[in-house]
Amino acid sequence: MNFHDTEHEASYRQKAINFLEQHAERKVIGQPGISSCLSPQALLKAAKEWQALKADHDFACISWSKEWGGPGGSAIESVIFAQEEQQFDIPEGIFQVSLGVCMPSIIKLGSEELKNRFVKPALRGEEIWCQLFSEPAAGSDLAGIRTRAESTSSGWVVNGQKVWTSNAHLSDFGLLLTRTDPTVVKHSGLTMFWVDMQTPGIEVRPINQISGQSGFNEVYFTDVKIPDSQRISDVGGGWKAALGTLATERLAIGGAKGADCRELVALASQLPCDTGTVLKDPQFRQKLADWYVNSEGINLTRMRALTTLSRGGTPGPEMSIAKLVMAEQLQQLCDYAMDLQAEFGIINSPDISEQAAVFQKGWLKAPGSRIAGGTDEILMNVIAERVLGMPGEIRVDKNRPFNELPVGI
Amino acid sequence: MDFDFTEDQKHLQQEARRFLSANCGTARVRQVLDEPDTPFDAELWTAMADLGWQGAILPEAYGGSGMGATDLCAIAEELGRAVNPTPFASSVYAFAEAVNLLGSEQQKSRILPHIASGHQIGCIATAEGAGRPDLECAFVDSSITGRKVPVTDGDVADWAIALANDSHGESLYLIELKRHGVSTSTLPTLDPTRSCAEIKFAGASAAPLGEAGSGKALLQKIHDRAAVFVAFEQLGGAEAALATAQDYAQQRYAFGRAIGSFQAVKHKLARIYVANQIARSNCYFGAWALESQSEELPRAAAAARIAATRAFQLAASEMIEIFGGIGTTWETDCHLFYRRAKQLSLFLGPINMWKERLAAEIEKQWAHADSHGGNL
Ligand SMILES: Cc1cc2nc3c(=O)[nH]c(=O)nc-3n(C[C@H](O)[C@H](O)[C@H](O)COP(=O)(O)OP(=O)(O)OC[C@H]3O[C@@H](n4cnc5c(N)ncnc54)[C@H](O)[C@@H]3O)c2cc1C
């Protein structure tokens, strides 16, 4: 076992570091990054510029083939770049859905024409995509969506509502899952399209999150006309297409970012308590050890998956644990970090709070991290059923037409 | 990046698994469990020695096979999976490693060949009662006096390494146990598939091991090395417990369906899977640090130890819950895992001690940079 880069990997890493050092600043513990300092508009602009710069230097979507405007690098190279990039203070959080979730589906499902039109501008950050899947009545049970697409002589007409659509307000296009046939069992009546977010009849309404930000939206569809050429699955084949999207989504999300052990140690080494600083408090040290083992465990599990890749294999299911572990940890660790600060923990201000309020921010973000991209419960079901081979749920919705299923709120 | 067992190591591991499923099935483990006069499976011990396992990583000059530490980790995982009822952990991971690391040329050539061949057994005697009392064992006038309790495998061992006070402070000593001045008595424990004793030294002759006065630090080194191998045993045990529970959950029916279809059961299994993956990754890091003689070994060993202890204890206790009533009986194998998980969690020191140790290592790694507002 070793962690050595091969000669090629080492020179690639050096190239990445050179690029990053030339164009960005390294993160500093205890100081707010630019992603949390900029206004939403300024962040968007900065993120687009950063993405274009990366594309110019062959560091955007590194493993995408040349055919689609990527540099055609290896999976290892893209991980090496990500490892280095995360140490720099760069504008984050804009392209995750666009490039991590939507484009892989377009590349997999779209026609040549579609790919020629869309992949390159998305890769350069010139166009942004959103994922129009979840609805008020269908999240975990995604196949329960109700947004209707009806076939007419001139194409499709879409009516309904999507919700929790990250970045819809910034997006140019969307990947849209609809119901085209409510009279068959629910998984069989779905169809996937792409849509231009400027199409008449689409209305985006921001939702205020508990963090105070508005990263996601409601998206209303009222008699939205979509030509059949924008259909990217078979009619009734939307579920299979969506499963592919969800699989990439879980990989793209990976571990939840935010405060972790490093920030906790920085905090504890400055907080006074009876034993000197909190860092010397035995109870603190026991908890720190537990969390550290998890974080390292996830990092190292990623190394194992990489090893499989570099040996030419397909990584197993190990990485499915990353989001489950890290989102839960984010919540607990931030909560504890605030307890350590006593009453002061309640203050939420980058200027006044300890460590530029990373713990307060993480605490507000964590509940969403535990839900986005599959809730804790759904992820545990997935592990138990797909990895450990447990039988599926007893289902009451499998053999009945969608329009005869019981509905709740 | 090459962070996994090599093909050769995987092959070695498969061979070990095949051998152990033929020679160390739970029926064999139970013989040791059920017969109070059988401290360990001597036949298995000899068969293991025939395969060269006891001397796997010892130098060839001392009768070993000169394999790498990671090779032994691969074997250790299988020994854990099989809940092996032998003094392997004491003799190989702790004692032999310690002698090889600290012993004089003469000590090594006198002792190690017998350990490698399985003809002799070594153990490590550190505890002196409940909690962490002051060290009382003392080395005076070239002999040792005092009491060590409990000593895993102390009743079957030929050799022990013990910590004692002397004129230099605290030092390590090598003691031949089947000699004048040593008396051992077997103690009942939670895991009768492993042996345990009280050892009394009354003027037993003892030879210094390693630098005088550095006993504590050296003992820590011994523990770090042993902890990585033990973590692999714990990982193997956790994987076996998960596999057994998985199997049972698919076969046992309640309310007209397999209990594995109930979410509460699924989520228990998923949590075990997660803990096992985290343990595996940390264990591999420990193996890497050991094999590459990295300065990061203390941190890697503690992390592996913590993750693997957590995983095995979770798997072993939840396994019984998943089995229901039958899991609480002597006849089912669940308690073999439950017992061994606890035994291994205390061997080499309890988990809170390892967490403290990890915290100290993290502090070394980070606190300095952070106090200067350092970079990531
Ligand atoms: C920050 C954030 C960003 C998001 N971005 C997007 C996006 O860009 N595009 C998009 O389409 N969606 C997005 N989502 C939606 C997300 O995918 C859903 O919220 C999620 O799948 C859960 O669905 P739900 O909200 O309807 O909750 P529900 O499915 O109603 O779940 C409610 C509770 O019931 C539990 N539950 C449901 N079913 C089961 C079951 N079978 N077994 C056990 N427990 C169950 C859940 O675990 C949860 O605890 C986002 C969500 C968040 C929080």
Side-chain angles (χ1 to χ4, degrees), chain A residues 185-199:
Chain A
V185 295
K186 68 180 187 183
H187 293 94
S188 309
L190 305 177
T191 304
M192 201 187 284
F193 298 89
W194 67 267
V195 285
D196 184 332
M197 295 300 284
Q198 300 304 323
T199 314

Side-chain angles (χ1 to χ4, degrees), chain A residues 30-334:
Chain A
Q31 281 176 28
I34 52 174
S35 301
S36 56
C37 294
L38 297 176
S39 71
Q41 293 79 359
L43 177 63
L44 178 64
K45 184 162 171 284
K48 285 191 165 191
E49 284 168 6
W50 179 245
Q51 188 65 25
L53 187 71
K54 284 204 292 183
D56 288 340
H57 289 82
D58 281 352
F59 288 122
C61 305
I62 290 161
S63 61
W64 293 10
S65 72
K66 289 216 164 81
E67 203 183 345
W68 308 123
S74 65
I76 301 279
E77 288 173 349
S78 67
V79 175
I80 288 175
F81 184 79
Q83 281 175 341
E84 298 304 326
E85 189 186 33
Q86 72 181 9
Q87 307 192 33
F88 286 80
D89 185 17
I90 48 129
E92 284 168 342
I94 303 286
F95 297 110
Q96 185 173 308
V97 175
S98 193
L99 300 174
V101 181
C102 296
M103 269 315 112
S105 291
I106 293 290
I107 292 176
K108 191 161 157 219
L109 305 167
S111 64
E112 297 303 294
E113 195 192 340
L114 197 67
K115 289 188 260 197
N116 283 327
R117 161 66 188 84
F118 285 124
V119 178
K120 203 159 187 188
L123 176 145
R124 295 189 57 82
E126 289 159 4
E127 292 172 350
I128 301 183
W129 284 65
C130 62
Q131 178 192 17
L132 297 155
F133 281 19
S134 301
E135 295 185 8
S140 304
D141 182 15
L142 183 61
I145 56 155
R146 297 176 189 173
T147 293
R148 277 285 272 138
E150 283 169 294
S151 177
T152 67
S153 54
S154 59
W156 299 83
V157 177
V158 177
N159 279 286
Q161 184 201 343
K162 295 290 171 179
V163 74
W164 324 131
T165 317
S166 300
N167 289 342
H169 58 303
L170 309 176
S171 292
D172 303 285
F173 302 96
L175 205 59
L176 172 67
L177 191 62
T178 64
R179 182 163 304 282
T180 40
D181 186 354
T183 66
V184 294
V185 295
K186 68 180 187 183
H187 293 94
S188 309
L190 305 177
T191 304
M192 201 187 284
F193 298 89
W194 67 267
V195 285
D196 184 332
M197 295 300 284
Q198 300 304 323
T199 314
I202 298 181
E203 188 197 347
V204 177
R205 295 186 200 159
I207 302 174
N208 296 326
Q209 287 165 266
I210 58 181
S211 62
Q213 293 166 329
S214 300
F216 55 34
N217 306 268
E218 296 177 294
V219 182
Y220 289 87
F221 290 79
T222 313
D223 293 331
V224 176
K225 295 195 176 58
I226 301 181
D228 192 54
S229 60
Q230 291 183 209
R231 182 166 54 77
I232 52 177
S233 76
D234 291 340
V235 175
W239 182 242
K240 195 168 157 232
L243 282 182
T245 312
L246 296 182
T248 20
E249 176 174 14
R250 284 179 189 142
L251 284 182
I253 289 186
K257 285 192 187 145
D260 201 47
C261 297
R262 192 77 204 257
E263 288 76 14
L264 192 62
V265 168
L267 171 74
S269 60
Q270 283 158 23
L271 277 186
C273 77
D274 300 344
T275 42
T277 63
V278 170
L279 190 57
K280 301 290 177 194
D281 173 49
Q283 196 207 7
F284 170 82
R285 293 164 82 83
Q286 297 280 306
K287 284 187 175 273
L288 172 66
D290 265 324
W291 283 321
Y292 180 89
V293 163
N294 284 344
S295 308
E296 282 297 288
I298 296 298
N299 285 339
L300 293 164
T301 304
R302 198 169 286 123
M303 306 284 180
R304 284 167 51 209
L306 259 182
T307 300
T308 311
L309 271 178
S310 79
R311 288 181 184 174
T314 315
E318 316 83 45
M319 274 316 288
S320 63
I321 69 175
K323 197 203 71 132
L324 179 62
V325 172
M326 294 317 289
E328 200 170 40
Q329 175 152 320
L330 179 64
Q331 193 166 33
Q332 291 169 1
L333 183 144
C334 288

